[in-house]
Amino acid sequence: MTTNLIIPGITQHTIKTDRLTVAYLEIGTGASPIVLVHGNCSSSLFFQDFMLELAATNRYTIYAPDMRGYGDSEVLPLDATRGVQDFSDDLDAFVRALELPPFHLLGWSLGGNVVMQYAIDYPGTLRSLTLEAPGSPYGFGGTKEADGIPIWPDYAGSGGGTANPDFVQRLQQGDRGSDAFSPRTTMNTFYFKPPFHVSPEREEIFVSSINSTRVVPGNYPGDLTQSSHWPNIAPGTQGVNNALSPKYLNQGNFAQCQVKPAVLWLHGADDQIVSDTSFFDLGFLGQIGAVPGWPGAEIYPPQPMKTQVRTVLDRYHANGGHYSEVALPDCGHSPHIEKQAEVVKIFTEFVDDHS
């Protein structure tokens, strides 16, 4: 990674774990360790300003790894039939390689699903768990109702084939333009709530971060199979978008976690990616006429993603866990960037209460 992508004060390292070589950012010398896990089509670079603000308190040491296939970490095929467990196991290998004591864990977007899986798979290692704009625990696409009921038996409408092919092509080309479907336009339209913009310098860093996504077999977006059910594409078995398919990802058992760390759920009230009316959900796109042949709301309604998150967290609470929800007004999919000062305050108060 070129040095001008790293903001002064933050250092980048690599560490060889027993699963892969991981690139990560680090700052701070405080007693409480914090690990930040990024989302799909991004990398640790999206956390830099947030990390600087956390480090300024002198209470934390902050680590932000790049997941496999993103940023400067090693590219390895992702076995989607395990859901996001490859990512969860990678995270475990990372924190063991660093010999971290119990730590605070935040996951953003796809990272939210990864950290939920980590809490399920590795009980007793967390001081607290923060879900920032997490995907539904019942996967992305292909389900309905609060309990994540599959719409079709083959989970059509989810998986590697749901990625916009124009965006995938531009990502593969490292496009830095501002046309429709470019990484830059996608970010400014959907990662943030328009008309929010970061500075020109940060925008270039973020575009580089998005373009670090490796468009290769086994990584992004993943393979697909044909389906006789609308919209005629179903999940394959490799790559990140298939790992997020409800065919393989069902985190309803988060409510029965063996050890239940306190959970903070942070999300933007105007998120267009993780939403009950998501512009990345084929059910909603069919409803608004953007995808032809939609069979109607009785058969294929929009996926109620936030309702599904809340349902699982309510069950987590009913089973003895504790969670708090903060919905930030006038905010999209990236609260730690769009509402940085507010999120730093909310997050540090939460972390300090559980240190």
Side-chain angles (χ1 to χ4, degrees):
M1 186 170 287
T2 55
T3 55
N4 62 353
L5 296 178
I6 309 299
I7 297 172
I10 294 175
T11 56
Q12 186 188 42
H13 309 279
T14 58
I15 189 167
K16 187 170 179 58
T17 76
D18 59 18
R19 288 178 60 81
L20 76 165
T21 300
V22 178
Y24 67 99
L25 303 181
E26 180 180 353
I27 189 172
T29 57
S32 292
I34 295 173
V35 177
L36 309 174
V37 181
H38 65 82
N40 201 0
C41 299
S42 66
S43 73
S44 60
L45 295 178
F46 272 84
F47 283 126
Q48 289 189 95
D49 287 298
F50 187 58
M51 294 173 74
L52 287 169
E53 291 300 312
L54 294 177
T57 67
N58 296 314
R59 300 198 295 273
Y60 320 112
T61 303
I62 306 104
Y63 307 89
D66 291 331
M67 292 192 288
R68 65 165 70 190
Y70 299 88
D72 287 338
S73 285
E74 189 175 354
V75 184
L76 293 173
L78 188 76
D79 180 0
T81 66
R82 304 184 70 227
V84 294
Q85 284 183 286
D86 272 356
F87 288 135
S88 171
D89 291 345
D90 291 349
L91 179 58
D92 169 65
F94 172 70
V95 299
R96 283 191 290 105
L98 290 177
E99 299 182 341
L100 292 189
F103 60 99
H104 303 280
L105 182 58
L106 177 150
W108 167 46
S109 192
L110 160 64
N113 293 102
V114 173
V115 302
M116 286 180 74
Q117 192 65 48
Y118 180 86
I120 294 167
D121 294 341
Y122 299 99
T125 59
L126 298 180
R127 300 188 191 185
S128 72
L129 182 65
T130 298
L131 308 175
E132 182 192 357
S136 166
Y138 298 115
F140 204 103
T143 69
K144 60 184 179 181
E145 301 182 15
D147 290 329
I149 298 170
I151 294 172
W152 303 121
D154 62 356
Y155 298 87
S158 68
T162 63
N164 183 295
D166 291 326
F167 174 75
V168 173
Q169 182 180 28
R170 289 167 181 270
L171 195 64
Q172 192 168 29
Q173 296 167 346
D175 185 348
R176 304 190 70 88
S178 54
D179 296 340
F181 308 118
S182 70
R184 188 184 308 273
T185 297
T186 299
M187 176 182 70
N188 286 322
T189 305
F190 296 108
Y191 288 33
F192 313 133
K193 180 189 176 184
F196 178 87
H197 269 79
V198 295
S199 69
E201 294 80 11
R202 293 297 185 267
E203 184 171 292
E204 295 308 317
I205 291 174
F206 292 164
V207 170
S208 295
S209 175
I210 297 171
N211 280 330
S212 77
T213 305
R214 301 299 190 268
V215 182
V216 295
N219 193 60
Y220 182 85
D223 56 338
L224 61 87
T225 59
Q226 299 299 316
S227 172
S228 60
H229 303 294
W230 187 89
N232 306 121
I233 48 171
T237 60
Q238 285 195 325
V240 63
N241 283 19
N242 289 313
L244 286 170
S245 166
K247 182 174 183 178
Y248 311 118
L249 181 70
N250 184 334
Q251 297 177 315
N253 62 338
F254 179 76
Q256 287 82 40
C257 271
Q258 180 182 336
V259 179
K260 295 181 176 63
V263 174
L264 171 64
W265 175 27
L266 279 168
H267 57 104
D270 303 304
D271 193 337
Q272 297 182 88
I273 295 177
V274 177
S275 169
D276 288 5
T277 53
S278 168
F279 279 87
F280 289 71
D281 170 45
L282 293 178
F284 181 67
L285 291 174
Q287 180 174 276
I288 64 175
V291 178
W294 181 60
E298 298 79 10
I299 295 173
Y300 208 117
Q303 181 184 1
M305 299 179 187
K306 288 190 178 182
T307 298
Q308 291 173 349
V309 174
R310 189 174 294 109
T311 297
V312 170
L313 290 178
D314 283 344
R315 289 174 182 161
Y316 185 81
H317 175 73
N319 289 333
H322 171 77
Y323 88 93
S324 55
E325 175 185 352
V326 179
L328 295 156
D330 195 33
C331 182
H333 190 60
S334 308
H336 72 278
I337 297 171
E338 297 170 80
K339 300 288 184 180
Q340 178 180 283
E342 190 173 349
V343 170
V344 167
K345 181 176 186 297
I346 293 166
F347 177 65
T348 56
E349 288 177 355
F350 172 70
V351 163
D352 293 346
D353 282 347
H354 298 93
S355 291

